[in-house]
Amino acid sequence: MKYQVPRGTQDILPGEVEKWQMLEERIRQFCHVYDYDEIRTPIFEHTNVFKRGNDASDMVNKEMYTFQLENSSTSLTLRPEMTAGVVRSFVEHKLFGEPDLPAKLYYVGPMCRHERPQKGRQRIFHQFGVEVIGVKNPLLDVECIALGWSFINSLGLKDLKVLINTLGDDESRNAYREALKEHFKDHIDSMCGDCKRRYEQNPLRILDCKVDRDCEAMKSVPRMKDYLNEESQAYFKQVLEGLDALGIPYEIDDTLVRGLDYYTHTVFEVVSENKEMGAQSTVFAGGRYDGLVEYFEGPQMSGIGWAMGIERLIIACEAEGITLGEKAELDAYVLTLSADVGLYALSAATMLRANGYRCECDYQNRSLKAQYRTVDRKKAKVVVIIGEDEAAQGSVTIKRISDKLQKTVALDDMITEIDRLFEAEEAHECNCEPGNCTCGKHHE
């Protein structure tokens, strides 16, 4: 039997994982300055957290990993998205009672959907997302979009655009649903099976169909903007004015409805226009939701959020030639001249690590030449050489790789000496020829 990862999943190995670490560190930096707090919910929830009523979304109807507990009526589902779980947690822990609403939350973690794997779309995928719950204000919609837009811009991404639309309030959406049913009633028999189901459950979902998007009925479909009441029009106008004020470019897309049934008012997608992204061009997307807090038996409160795929974000950066995190270089390599000094070498390495230096040592009793090849591959800045003489005398020989400067010191003085070498290199580094410094920076 050949053991390998399940279809639609991947191992994130050293050399690649550094990209993820860099993104996660920046995510936390951005959320910190925007005053968003991290939340972590279970990897699985009770199925009714995601499968609510007559939901027409593909995620609920076709993509969830659901399992029944043995000898129990309890049905659990691996989370396909985070919004529902976050809102469930918001209500369960009565965060709606906090004095300073809205609750501004963010998350980073894996999701699971059973769908056909392809570039940028895995069965286990990872998302960075935000949820702002408890206050309904168009300026919060703007802030929410601005956080994501600022984050991706900080990475240097340029081939992006914001698509935005409004689904209006309940009254507006009900009027639009009736208009869509009337429009599609003479065409639905010739459309795909999913559209036939969506026609009965939620005709707005038909606009999201990839199979029938080029059919004649789609070309003349009614537009949501023609069914918005005055309140919904005013709300959307304020959102657009806010984006204009912050200099965030956008395009209004009348057919944008998003893939989940709970959205109301503002919906948006930020997509890459780079051809390398292929069909999976959406980098992050989301919208406002009214009624979800009430579904989980909380008070009448609104929320807004979005989710950003980490895998797609990395693909977008690679498509634009942007380098993310790289594997860190070594500060020091402890090089042994004899197998008999291994314990002494490990003690020296442990001292270095305790003082914050990234350090490695040899455990294979290799030759001096082989160890120096590792020094080169790992780009160590300093080599700590230990032979039988050093071990007997309680000392180490320190060699700085950049200029071959070498010095033997007592083991107890090793950290002080390496501190000095690193400080000197940072303070006095210059590009002049050795021994002929003209810039005044190099004093070694």
Side-chain angles (χ1 to χ4, degrees), residues 414-432:
M414 176 182 66
I415 299 301
T416 300
E417 180 61 21
I418 290 180
D419 285 346
R420 188 188 69 80
L421 289 176
F422 274 78
E423 289 169 3
E425 190 166 86
E426 291 173 4
H428 306 307
E429 186 179 28
C430 70
N431 296 317
C432 302

Side-chain angles (χ1 to χ4, degrees), residues 49-50 52 81-88 91 131 133 261-264 289-299 301-303:
V49 168
F50 305 111
R52 300 174 301 275
E81 55 100 12
M82 275 284 282
T83 299
V86 170
V87 176
R88 187 270 310 151
V91 173
E131 307 294 343
I133 312 171
D261 274 5
Y262 50 64
Y263 285 123
T264 61
Y289 43 87
D290 297 337
L292 200 53
V293 175
E294 289 179 87
Y295 171 84
F296 290 109
E297 300 182 349
M301 283 184 170
S302 183

Side-chain angles (χ1 to χ4, degrees), residues 38-45 49-50 79 81-90 92-93 105-111:
E38 185 176 7
I39 185 170
R40 303 186 185 192
T41 64
I43 193 68
F44 56 83
E45 301 264 3
V49 168
F50 305 111
R79 65 185 185 199
E81 55 100 12
M82 275 284 282
T83 299
V86 170
V87 176
R88 187 270 310 151
S89 180
F90 174 84
E92 181 176 347
H93 299 285
L105 307 168
Y106 80 93
Y107 57 85
V108 183
M111 315 293 155

